[in-house]
Amino acid sequence: AWRPGETPRVAARLPSPLRYAAVTAAGGKLVIAGGSLPNGTASRAVLVFDPATRHVSRLGRLPAATTHAAAAALGGVAYVVGGRGPAAKTPTARIVAVDPAARTVRAAGTLAVPRSDLAAVSLGKRILLVGGREPTGTSAAVGELAAARAQKAPKTPVRTNVYAADAAGELRAQGADGRPADD
């Protein structure tokens, strides 16, 4: 735990060390899903940290061992998006919903293209997805997930290439004469 101007402190301990876990805040708790374990495998564990009690508990399991996934929350539900297994170049298209209040883990949809190592952030009633790795290599895609009306599962993301307008002659008039700032 850390607050600006204060010394960081240990708030709790995980049952096992993890790297590259999908982490987000949902329903006043921190959801920690999957991640790389010290022995080189990926975890299926879904953990919840409650800052009020400083306790970490196991909520459930992901459908498959997952690392390098992203997570973001909508309406108190954490969504674990994409990721991969313990081996590189094995991205998945899974979207998993984790509800800390109901203590459930369920399938919530799939991405149009499998992605790992992406970024996810909640933006209003949507989750913005950026970049990552796809089966063909590094992705420049920007997309979004939005809750469907009849269900809580996110829709398939819209794919946009963030580099589509970076070619010569593609700048708007306001930026065409721009120069790099002097350091």
Side-chain angles (χ1 to χ4, degrees), residues 14 43 66 70 92 107 118 120-121 132 134 144 156 158-159 164 183:
L14 299 175
S43 174
T66 304
T92 180
L118 65 160
V121 64
E134 295 180 353
E144 62 182 20
T156 302
V158 174
R159 296 177 49 78
D183 289 337

Side-chain angles (χ1 to χ4, degrees):
W2 176 77
R3 289 179 194 246
E6 294 183 10
T7 303
R9 63 178 170 79
V10 174
R13 297 204 184 271
L14 299 175
S16 175
L18 287 173
R19 296 184 317 155
Y20 310 116
V23 180
T24 191
K29 299 192 172 39
L30 199 61
V31 175
I32 306 143
S36 295
L37 296 165
N39 65 4
T41 63
S43 174
R44 288 183 64 185
V46 177
L47 307 171
V48 174
F49 169 66
D50 184 341
T53 64
R54 297 176 61 179
H55 181 73
V56 175
S57 62
R58 186 178 177 124
L59 187 144
R61 293 169 51 107
L62 294 170
T66 304
T67 185
H68 295 258
L74 292 175
V77 175
Y79 291 92
V80 179
V81 182
R84 66 173 176 83
K89 299 182 182 178
T90 60
T92 180
R94 276 187 302 275
I95 301 170
V96 177
V98 178
D99 187 336
R103 300 196 57 80
T104 59
V105 178
R106 65 175 175 78
T110 57
L111 298 171
V113 176
R115 283 164 77 183
S116 68
D117 302 283
L118 65 160
V121 64
S122 301
L123 188 62
K125 294 183 180 181
R126 301 178 187 287
I127 296 174
L128 183 65
L129 304 177
V130 181
R133 297 191 59 77
E134 295 180 353
T136 57
T138 302
S139 172
V142 174
E144 62 182 20
L145 301 176
R149 286 193 177 132
Q151 55 189 8
K152 291 184 180 180
K155 294 190 294 186
T156 302
V158 174
R159 296 177 49 78
T160 304
N161 183 347
V162 295
Y163 300 111
D166 72 345
E170 294 294 328
L171 290 176
R172 294 185 196 188
Q174 298 94 322
D177 293 326
R179 303 275 187 261
D182 293 330
D183 289 337

